[in-house]
Amino acid sequence: MPKPSDIPAHKPVSPARRRFLRTAVVGALALGGTALYAGEAEPGHLEVVEKDVKLLGWPVSAAGLKIGQLSDLHCQSERSVVRAKRAVALLLEQKPDIVFLTGDFVSSSSHYVPACMEAIAPITSVPRGVFAVLGNHDWGGRHSGQRPAYVTRELERIGISVLRNRSVEMPGTPGVWLVGLDTCSMAAQDPETALWHVPEKAIKLLLVHEPDFADEALPGFALQFSGHSHGGQIRLPGLPPLHCPSYGQHYPEGLQQATHHLVYTTRGIGMIGPQMRFCCPPEVTVLTLYPA
Ligand SMILES: [Fe+2]
């Protein structure tokens, strides 16, 4: 048995090293806690965002029309499908008259298309119908083959009108037209074709996945509905988004005035990349329109 004098003396930790260790432990705990919150909690905190919007020429007879919007469901896991179902239920609770779905129903694979359709099917009960456009992820890349046609067919099968470079008059509101464009990220937008049958004097609501299309749009639209940016998805408190995808950088969130018309960009529901949201909760949108 060693004598006490044989045991090496314990070297005392210097105050500076103690401070460093304490800071490192607190930092690691804070980082871990933040990551846990961003990955497990915030993606499920669906926020209802309501806004009144006044538009020049909007018909008095349609004053107070409630438009619900969901975007970027990104169904790519069981969890994301559950979140999509909750978003649909929450939007239905707001009793919208009509609903716009602005793309990215799925992510990198078609596997979750059927589950996504099952999740969103209840929304078709709204009185004036549901209108959709596709997002870049619904295309699955430039060489995606049948993916956009498959997503379109499935949406139409459950009763959703998909506006791929085409327009329809809004049910119950003569003179107001819904103009839908295909995704700009794949250079698939064709406004000329979409507007072919729209009367010149119509009030035009534009549905297009990418908000920055507003920068290339010709005059004539009253209000644009978009998603795509996810609001930045991971943000720092009080700061603008750290990163948004191309075509989603100039109008990343909320109601903004573009050169010719107003743009509303929703933060959407799902996620891409790291499955995290921070300071940027998923959004269920309700815009109520009034004449200016
Ligand atoms: Fe997206």
Side-chain angles (χ1 to χ4, degrees), residues 164-207:
R164 297 187 67 185
N165 296 322
R166 70 183 183 96
S167 305
V168 293
E169 194 166 30
M170 183 188 267
T173 314
V176 175
W177 282 68
L178 311 180
V179 180
L181 295 184
D182 222 333
T183 173
C184 305
S185 304
M186 302 294 155
Q189 78 277 26
D190 183 352
E192 203 177 317
T193 300
L195 288 162
W196 193 253
H197 295 292
V198 181
E200 207 173 308
K201 287 190 175 170
I203 295 162
K204 296 183 263 300
L205 302 183
L206 175 61
L207 284 68

Side-chain angles (χ1 to χ4, degrees), residues 31-43:
L31 208 62
T34 303
L36 198 67
Y37 169 81
E40 300 296 323
E42 187 162 316

Side-chain angles (χ1 to χ4, degrees), residues 58-73:
W58 187 253
V60 176
S61 59
L65 185 94
K66 278 171 100 170
I67 299 178
Q69 183 188 5
L70 292 178
S71 197
D72 299 83
L73 296 169

Side-chain angles (χ1 to χ4, degrees), residues 231-237 239-242 252-253 267 277-280:
Q233 201 173 300
I234 295 171
R235 295 170 64 159
L236 293 176
L239 292 179
L242 302 169
E253 181 189 3
R267 297 190 300 266
R277 277 186 180 266
F278 190 65
C279 296
C280 190

Side-chain angles (χ1 to χ4, degrees), residues 72 74 103-104 136-137 209 228-230 272:
D72 299 83
H74 284 286
D104 279 4
N136 51 314
H137 284 270
H209 182 63
H228 184 55
S229 67
H230 301 190
I272 50 165

